[in-house]
Amino acid sequence: MRGSRALPLAVLCGSAFLGAIDVQLANIAFPDMLRSFPSSGLPELSWVFNGYAITFTAALLPAGGLADRFGYRRVFLAGLTVFVVGAALCAVAPSAGILIAARVVQGVGGGVITPLTLALILPYYPPERRGTAIGLWSATQSVATASGPSLGGFLVAVWDWRTVFFLHLPVGLVVLFGAWRTLARTPPSAPSRLPDIVGLVLLVAAIGLPSLAIVQSDAWGPGSPGTILALVAGVLVGVVFVRRARSHPAPIVDLKILRARSTQRANLAMFLLGLVMFALPLANILFLTKIWGYSEAQAGLAVTPGAVVQVLTAPLAGRLAAKTGHRRLALGGVVLLSLATGYLALAAGGGQAYLTVVLPAVVATGMGIAVLVNALSGAAVAEIPPARLATGTAMSVTSRACGAVIGVSALVLVLSGDRLGSTAAYHGVWATMLGLCALIAIAASGLRTPEAPATANAGRHEPGSKAP
């Protein structure tokens, strides 16, 4: 790999690492946040995750559209700056409300940089080696996933949850400087028209209202007017959003991208995977700390082996995608994830049995998630034209993020109050996730791996260049 390529790729992988490790650090720090703000219960503090996830999700598609219209580098640098500023505000937040507001700011930046790192990496590889590019991107995120739990647990043990956000500052500033110096200026690939701002507001409401209803239904009551109104309003706003996206000249979501069957199925499966892959680690951390009495540091170390396996599996999954096809690879990942969730539902109890119960489950989870993310990410962009690549990758990540919002919201509802210390409640969570794995398998069975199209993105930075 020539140095001219190595430096930008290192910067982009650093950005992907920063975005991915944030979720892991927040997971580990969450029990300590509960102790820091005793007047704020689990439902309120869950908005540390959901506030981030909603704005993250809402920013994904506008980021793709803006990058296609105004250049990847310019939009990427703006998003990275917002992300670092948001982390700084989180680190000094004096109250739960300000912490949640700061996470909202950080979510905007995270939603911009996450899809653009992949969209900026892909052009360094020819179309037939996109699986390798996605494997590199996935492996970088997996390294963050592997290091996040143990690093977060150590930081919380040494000081408190604020340390995990202070960590973002030096890393973020180095990556920001490197991106400014090394990333090539990219010309716009689509007309320079602003995306639909009203559509953006509708998207935020369509995601946020159902999440609000799920999180607050325990306090409001499942059949209360507030819960029903939020759910109905969310559905209605979603319908209006889709209708507007079909007619607006610069929609937030270009529904034409979803015409291909494989793209539809990949995004549906990615949504279902999002329901599991973000709620499952949080549920495991809470189980270890609330049921088995682990400290945050111990819980972080306990789930680290699964993340390490995810690191090792991601590059292999990228190479296998070109040989086996997205459908077979995705179904293999579903089997692994099903074995993990099913085993936890059957075997995990009040008695500590880490080596025989939790360890094999987290290892299978890490392998399954690495395989699924790679397969579904590849299938989602396999038939996307090069001029809409940023939008296509953003749509894939958006699908997963929407699932994450709903999944974490539902988890908070299930574990609210006394159920946080109930082993049976965790069994119900794992059993539900096993059912979701079956739905992922159904969606993934419709994937196909088309031959590399002539219109595939052959390289934005250096047309016709070989893979590094």
Side-chain angles (χ1 to χ4, degrees):
M1 183 189 298
R2 294 199 298 270
S4 60
R5 294 182 184 178
L7 286 176
L9 285 173
V11 168
L12 292 169
C13 288
S15 301
F17 177 90
L18 192 62
I21 200 173
D22 176 82
V23 176
Q24 299 299 319
L25 295 177
N27 274 348
I28 294 297
F30 191 67
D32 193 49
M33 293 179 192
L34 287 170
R35 289 192 292 269
S36 293
F37 303 111
S39 61
S40 302
L42 180 62
E44 180 182 350
L45 277 179
S46 71
W47 287 98
V48 170
F49 296 102
N50 287 332
Y52 178 93
I54 290 170
T55 53
F56 175 94
T57 304
L60 288 168
L61 290 169
L66 288 170
D68 286 334
R69 290 171 173 85
F70 299 109
Y72 290 9
R73 179 181 181 273
R74 183 183 302 173
V75 177
F76 178 78
L77 289 174
L80 190 55
T81 301
V82 171
F83 183 84
V84 174
V85 170
L89 294 174
C90 288
V92 298
S95 66
I98 295 177
L99 174 62
I100 292 168
R103 286 288 284 172
V104 166
V105 173
Q106 194 182 16
V108 173
V112 172
I113 65 176
T114 298
L116 293 189
T117 52
L118 178 57
L120 283 163
I121 287 172
L122 283 175
Y124 287 100
Y125 293 79
E128 64 273 12
R129 295 197 63 192
R130 277 186 175 177
T132 303
I134 295 171
L136 175 65
W137 181 69
S138 299
T140 302
Q141 293 182 313
S142 297
V143 170
T145 302
S147 58
S150 54
L151 177 61
F154 171 77
L155 292 174
V156 171
V158 170
W159 189 9
D160 63 12
W161 59 267
R162 297 178 188 276
T163 319
V164 304
F165 293 108
F166 278 122
L167 178 68
H168 289 61
L169 302 183
V171 178
L173 290 174
V174 169
V175 171
L176 183 61
F177 178 75
W180 178 70
R181 288 294 303 270
T182 64
L183 293 184
R185 296 182 184 275
T186 53
S189 59
S192 297
R193 178 183 298 197
L194 286 173
D196 180 17
I197 302 302
V198 175
L200 172 60
V201 175
L202 292 173
L203 176 62
V204 173
I207 297 169
L209 287 170
S211 300
L212 176 65
I214 294 171
V215 171
Q216 294 298 128
S217 63
D218 190 55
W220 294 348
S224 68
T227 301
I228 295 175
L229 180 61
L231 285 173
V232 172
V235 172
L236 293 177
V237 170
V239 172
V240 174
F241 169 74
V242 171
R243 290 176 63 87
R244 187 176 179 87
R246 288 177 175 174
S247 59
H248 197 276
I252 291 294
V253 180
D254 186 357
L255 297 180
K256 295 178 182 178
I257 291 178
L258 294 174
R259 288 178 178 175
R261 179 185 177 188
S262 187
T263 302
Q264 295 173 1
R265 291 299 188 97
N267 280 284
L268 174 60
M270 193 68 90
F271 168 78
L272 295 169
L273 177 61
L275 292 171
V276 176
M277 69 176 289
F278 290 94
L280 179 57
L282 180 57
N284 292 344
I285 292 295
L286 291 173
F287 175 80
L288 291 171
T289 56
K290 301 301 181 182
I291 302 299
W292 283 7
Y294 279 28
S295 67
E296 284 83 354
Q298 290 173 322
L301 289 173
V303 300
T304 294
V308 172
V309 170
Q310 190 172 337
V311 173
L312 301 175
T313 305
L316 176 62
R319 291 192 293 270
L320 285 175
K323 297 179 180 179
T324 65
H326 299 134
R327 184 177 67 86
R328 291 181 179 178
L329 190 65
L331 291 176
V334 171
V335 170
L336 290 167
L337 195 56
S338 299
L339 289 173
T341 54
Y343 185 54
L344 284 171
L346 291 173
Q352 297 185 15
Y354 174 74
L355 292 178
T356 57
V357 177
V358 173
L359 180 61
V362 298
V363 167
T365 297
M367 294 178 65
I369 289 176
V371 169
L372 275 166
V373 168
N374 192 285
L376 298 179
S377 297
V381 299
E383 297 177 293
I384 299 295
R388 308 301 290 164
L389 188 58
T391 301
T393 56
M395 189 172 294
S396 173
V397 180
T398 298
S399 300
R400 188 175 66 186
C402 287
V405 173
I406 296 175
V408 172
S409 299
L411 177 68
V412 169
L413 173 62
V414 171
L415 298 180
S416 293
D418 295 338
R419 295 187 294 272
L420 188 60
S422 168
T423 303
Y426 292 94
H427 285 175
V429 168
W430 293 320
T432 301
M433 291 181 181
L434 179 61
L436 290 172
C437 287
L439 296 179
I440 296 173
I442 294 172
S445 64
L447 298 178
R448 65 185 182 90
T449 307
E451 296 181 0
T455 58
N457 188 6
R460 184 181 303 274
H461 300 283
E462 298 179 21
S465 62
K466 298 295 182 182

